[in-house]
Amino acid sequence: MIYTVKVDVKEIENRIVECKVRNHVVRVDQPKEFGADDTAPTPPEMLAISLGSCVVSTIQFIAAQRNLDVGNIEVSVEGSIDFSRAMGVSDRERAGFGALKVGIRFDSGMASREKEDFIKTVFECGASIDNIRNATPVTCEILE
C-alpha cells in the first residue's frame, strides 16, 4: 500500500515557516539566539518529534495488530547538533544531529526479552524511524 505525502512550506515572517500537509498547518521557527521569535520548534526539533511520535504510533499499531495490551507509552528523543557548519566556522562536523538517543517506556505484560523483540519490530516497521536510520535519497529542483 502506497501512501503519498506532500508538504507545502513557505516563509511567513521573520524566520517563521508555515508547513501545510493535508488539512493541517504546522509552524517552524528558530530560537531568539538565531535572530528569530522562538514561536515554534526548529527543523531539527521537528525531526526529533517525528522520530518520537513515529515510535509511539508504531508501538500502538503493532500492539493492535498483535492484540497486545500496551499502554502508557512514553518516548524521549535526545541529540546534539554542532552548528559550526551553519555558522561558517568549521566544516569538520556534520550539519545535523551527530546521533539520536531514543528512550522508551510502556506498560505491558511482556517480559523484558519480549519487550526488546517487540521494540526491534517497531524499529523495523516505522516509516519515520526508517527514514532517519537509513539514508533516504533526496533530490532538489528549482521551480520557476
Side-chain angles (χ1 to χ4, degrees), residues 32-106:
K32 289 186 179 193
E33 297 82 11
F34 294 164
D37 296 327
D38 198 16
T39 63
T42 66
E45 290 167 339
M46 293 296 289
L47 181 69
I49 288 168
S50 178
L51 176 58
S53 60
C54 185
V55 171
V56 172
S57 296
T58 307
I59 288 172
Q60 293 167 328
F61 184 74
I62 293 173
Q65 279 184 330
R66 296 181 178 183
N67 201 27
L68 297 171
D69 185 20
V70 173
N72 296 318
I73 306 164
E74 296 180 15
V75 172
S76 64
V77 178
E78 186 175 341
S80 296
I81 297 172
D82 182 342
F83 280 109
S84 296
R85 183 178 295 258
M87 304 297 271
V89 176
S90 170
D91 62 359
R92 284 184 292 201
E93 299 299 325
R94 64 182 296 172
F97 288 109
L100 289 168
K101 179 181 176 184
V102 179
I104 305 167
R105 176 180 291 121
F106 60 95

Side-chain angles (χ1 to χ4, degrees), residues 127-138:
S128 290
I129 299 165
D130 178 68
N131 284 118
I132 293 169
R133 292 181 73 200
N134 301 296
T136 302
V138 177

Side-chain angles (χ1 to χ4, degrees), residues 2-58:
I2 304 295
Y3 177 76
T4 301
V5 175
K6 182 173 187 316
V7 176
D8 293 309
V9 180
K10 67 179 183 178
E11 178 182 28
I12 299 298
E13 60 184 285
N14 195 10
R15 302 281 304 277
I16 300 171
V17 176
E18 184 176 85
C19 313
K20 292 183 179 180
V21 59
R22 294 184 290 121
N23 296 319
H24 306 284
V25 176
V26 176
R27 288 197 169 186
V28 175
D29 199 359
Q30 297 290 328
K32 289 186 179 193
E33 297 82 11
F34 294 164
D37 296 327
D38 198 16
T39 63
T42 66
E45 290 167 339
M46 293 296 289
L47 181 69
I49 288 168
S50 178
L51 176 58
S53 60
C54 185
V55 171
V56 172
S57 296
T58 307

